[in-house]
Amino acid sequence: SDSRKLSFVDVRTLALVGSMTLDTGKAESTGPDGAGGLLLNEKDRDMVAHIDIASRKIIAEWPTTGCDQPTGMAVDPEHHRAFIGCRGNKPVLEVMDMQTGKVVASLPLGRGNDGVVYDAASKRIITTNGIEGNIVIYHQEDADHYRMEQAITTRPMARTIAYDPLSASIFTVTAEGVVDPAKEINTGPSAFYPNAYYDNSFVVLTYAPNHIQGGKEHHDQ
């Protein structure tokens, strides 16, 4: 965040229980390591910070080698793996050993990643990539080996994700965007990144990977 602070909130009371200072001005997704720690993407530094929650201190920082602008993240605590979606000129899904920071795999990804989900039951890593307009799904063969299972065309700017493991449904959202040259354009993600959206164009898109071979999409406005 711009404040360069990470805040800790008690989910039962919603009370602020502490904070810590960060070196990054672009803190992105986080993931719990399953052992009292937290991984945090530092998008502007191409780094991952490993934070001890109890002491609220950074215990390690690792470069995302070959991965520019780490944004989305999911974790597999059982195999000590972090899945990091990178937005840079060479978009990849980077698999990192979250005990050592070693990069064990780098897999092609669509441009404009924002969401990454890991489903332990199906061993799937699901990514949503808005500039490319796709969902790319990898299957975990073991801790260090992955194969592409599906790549699904969605819609431009559908980049956030929610996942229901019970129905194996993927949810993402988008809207009809427009680039108004009279307003400031964020050219970081792309040259024509929308700076306004049409009214009443917001949609929720739902996908079911198990049944998508013939193409299945449901959308609600």
Side-chain angles (χ1 to χ4, degrees), residues 14 16 18 78 85 95 101-102 107 111 122 137 149 151 156 163 186 192 204 217:
L14 300 183
L16 180 66
E78 180 183 355
V95 183
K102 179 183 177 182
L107 311 162
R111 291 180 301 145
S122 65
I137 303 174
E149 184 176 297
Y163 182 70
N186 179 8
F192 304 104
V204 177
E217 172 188 280

Side-chain angles (χ1 to χ4, degrees), residues 176-217:
E176 298 297 326
V178 61
V179 179
D180 182 350
K183 299 178 181 178
E184 183 179 359
I185 302 170
N186 179 8
T187 58
S190 72
F192 304 104
Y193 196 73
N195 56 12
Y197 290 87
Y198 291 113
D199 292 340
N200 302 315
S201 66
F202 175 84
V203 292
V204 177
L205 307 174
T206 307
Y207 298 89
N210 284 328
H211 305 97
I212 230 153
Q213 303 299 339
K216 181 178 181 180
E217 172 188 280

Side-chain angles (χ1 to χ4, degrees), residues 22-34:
L22 299 172
D23 291 330
T24 177
K26 293 289 183 181
E28 283 285 346
S29 299
T30 61
D33 67 3

